[in-house]
């Protein structure tokens, strides 16, 4: 249920903070109440909450598309199946692990039997976020709106849903506008700093040095891609995705084009690797989001132990996408043509 809700939240928000906090508040106490393993509960929430940075409308893909000058719509299309693949891998792992070790996720003793009434109630609850997802992604995929315009559609849709549910007040609106301004200012400050750094690096010949070093590797195009993804994975332990995207990615994209690598395929794999940075210490933001709202008794050790299998699953997802590029490239080609 947490994975399923996390996928819906990911397709509704495009960020991770709100998803991780909401899933922690709603899911973790209930899992602990039913004697689930704290490590498993923490790992599921942290990993699922980070899907928002990969599944469209991901803010990370928007910035990546801008930095390497490729269509954000292509990136959104290309990231759909890898994001769903991660959700599927998480589900398979959870079911298999719980089957082999029933004590980590025991069946609730007083579980309400599943009836048609409950199923209909669930689908009724899903309809509003589903309509919001269709409005945002549908307007992009059908070419009606650009990602920037679609964000306006999403904001309007979310406001209407909040108004219908009686949860939209003037104070809420002021808070949203204030927080949006802070976040936007923060991102643009990073843009300015990264641009200044990149200009100095280019002026000193840094881009030529990086290009020469990568092209000089005796591994062929696929080997170079693997090396770059491994470096991005290591950097993700210590740097936020914004810094990596703004400073490093623009130097890598021209090299990939020269090597004949499909840029959409490479960027989506790069995004999956950077998604891992949200759950790897010491700078994994999802870990700290969760710890900030986790119920009493959840320790940072529980969170660190819980995310280990999900980091491995994300590495498996990268390996699958690497060996089967069609997972990324098929949908953009069908939607927009070669």
């Amino acid at each position: 249920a947490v994975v399923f809700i996390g996928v819906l939240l990911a397709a509704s928000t495009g960020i991770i903070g709100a998803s991780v906090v909401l899933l922690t508040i709603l899911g973790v106490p209930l899992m602990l109440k039913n004697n689930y393993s704290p490590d498993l509960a923490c790992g599921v929430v942290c990993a699922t909450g980070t899907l928002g940075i990969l599944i469209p409308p991901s803010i990370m893909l928007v910035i990546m598309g801008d930095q390497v000058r490729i269509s954000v719509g292509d990136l959104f299309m290309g990231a759909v199946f890898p994001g769903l693949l991660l959700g599927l891998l998480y589900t398979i792992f959870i079911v298999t692990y719980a089957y082999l070790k029933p004590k980590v996720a025991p069946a609730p003793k007083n579980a309400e039997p599943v009836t048609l009434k409950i199923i209909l109630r669930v689908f009724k609850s899903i309809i509003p976020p589903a309509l919001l997802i269709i409005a945002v992604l549908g307007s992009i995929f059908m070419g009606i709106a650009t990602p920037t315009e679609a964000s306006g559609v999403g904001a309007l849709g979310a406001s209407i849903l909040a108004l219908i549910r009686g949860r939209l007040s003037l104070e809420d609106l002021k808070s949203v506008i204030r927080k949006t301004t802070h976040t936007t200012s923060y991102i643009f400050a990073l843009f300015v700093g990264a641009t200044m750094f990149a200009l100095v690096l280019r002026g000193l010949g840094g881009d030529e040095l990086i290009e020469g070093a990568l092209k000089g590797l005796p591994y062929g195009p696929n080997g170079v891609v693997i090396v770059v993804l491994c470096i991005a994975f290591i950097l993700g332990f210590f740097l936020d995705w914004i810094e990596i995207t703004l400073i490093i990615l623009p130097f890598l994209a021209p090299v990939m084009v020269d090597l004949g690598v499909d840029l959409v395929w490479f960027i989506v794999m790069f995004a999956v690797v950077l998604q891992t940075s949200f759950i790897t210490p010491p700078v994994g933001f999802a870990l700290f989001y969760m710890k900030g709202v986790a119920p009493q008794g959840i320790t940072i050790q529980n969170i660190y132990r819980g995310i280990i299998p999900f980091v491995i699953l994300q590495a498996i997802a990268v390996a699958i996408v690497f060996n089967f590029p069609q997972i990324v490239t098929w949908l953009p080609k069908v939607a927009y043509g070669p």
Side-chain angles (χ1 to χ4, degrees):
V2 168
V3 173
F4 180 71
I5 294 170
V7 170
L8 284 178
L9 287 174
S12 305
T13 62
I15 55 175
I16 73 156
S19 298
V20 173
V21 170
L22 182 62
L23 292 174
T24 301
I25 293 173
L26 295 181
V28 174
L30 188 59
M31 286 189 277
L32 296 180
K33 180 181 177 182
N34 286 283
N35 299 314
Y36 280 35
S37 163
D39 294 357
L40 178 62
C42 294
V44 170
V45 168
C46 281
T48 304
T50 61
L51 290 175
I53 208 67
L54 177 65
I55 294 178
S58 161
I59 182 63
M60 180 165 68
L61 294 178
V62 173
I63 294 178
M64 285 182 170
D66 175 75
Q67 290 298 298
V68 299
R69 303 294 187 270
I70 61 175
S71 168
V72 175
D74 284 348
L75 291 180
F76 277 5
M77 284 285 192
V80 169
F81 287 142
L84 296 178
L85 172 64
L86 276 171
L88 178 62
L89 288 176
Y90 294 165
T91 303
I92 292 172
F93 166 74
I94 293 164
V95 173
T96 304
Y97 188 38
Y99 177 77
L100 296 176
K101 295 188 68 176
K103 289 184 179 180
V104 301
K109 296 179 181 179
N110 301 315
E112 186 179 354
V114 178
T115 62
L116 181 61
K117 183 179 179 181
I118 292 177
I119 294 174
L120 291 176
R121 195 170 67 201
V122 169
F123 276 102
K124 184 180 178 181
S125 301
I126 292 173
I127 289 174
L131 291 175
L132 184 62
I133 293 168
I134 293 171
V136 175
L137 296 184
S139 61
I140 296 174
F141 292 161
M142 291 187 293
I144 298 173
T146 65
T148 304
E149 294 165 345
S151 67
V153 174
L156 177 63
S159 300
I160 292 173
L161 290 178
L163 186 62
I164 292 173
R165 291 175 177 268
R167 296 181 180 178
L168 183 64
S169 65
L170 187 59
E171 284 301 315
D172 291 332
L173 194 58
K174 286 180 179 178
S175 176
V176 168
I177 293 173
R178 189 181 302 113
K179 290 180 180 179
T180 302
T181 304
H182 288 168
T183 303
T184 305
S185 302
Y186 163 69
I187 292 176
F188 271 95
L190 287 173
F191 267 110
V192 172
T195 302
M196 292 170 64
F197 179 88
L199 285 173
V200 173
L201 189 61
R202 283 196 175 95
L204 296 175
D207 53 344
E208 297 174 0
L209 177 65
I210 294 172
E211 183 177 351
L214 290 176
K215 288 184 176 180
L217 293 173
Y219 307 128
N222 285 341
V224 173
V225 171
I226 292 173
V227 169
V228 168
L229 294 178
C230 290
I231 293 173
F233 176 73
I234 295 171
L235 288 174
F237 280 78
F238 310 102
L239 296 175
D240 187 14
W241 68 269
I242 296 181
E243 288 89 343
I244 298 173
T245 299
L246 296 182
I247 296 174
I248 297 172
L249 189 59
F251 293 112
L252 297 176
V255 177
M256 295 300 150
V257 172
D258 290 344
L259 292 173
V261 175
D262 186 291
L263 209 51
V264 173
W265 171 66
F266 170 73
I267 295 297
V268 170
M269 282 198 300
F270 198 82
V272 176
V273 171
L274 289 191
Q275 182 202 357
T276 309
S277 69
F278 284 97
I279 58 173
T280 49
V283 192
F285 285 103
L287 311 180
F288 298 104
Y289 287 141
M290 181 175 192
K291 180 57 180 158
V293 295
Q296 191 173 6
I298 293 294
T299 65
I300 197 70
Q301 287 80 13
N302 292 135
I303 299 174
Y304 281 1
R305 286 195 299 264
I307 56 93
I308 292 173
F310 293 95
V311 172
I312 296 172
L313 289 173
Q314 289 182 343
I316 292 172
V318 174
I320 293 173
V321 174
F322 180 85
N323 287 285
F324 300 96
Q326 298 83 0
I327 295 174
V328 173
T329 60
W330 179 79
L331 193 57
K333 287 181 179 178
V334 170
Y336 302 126

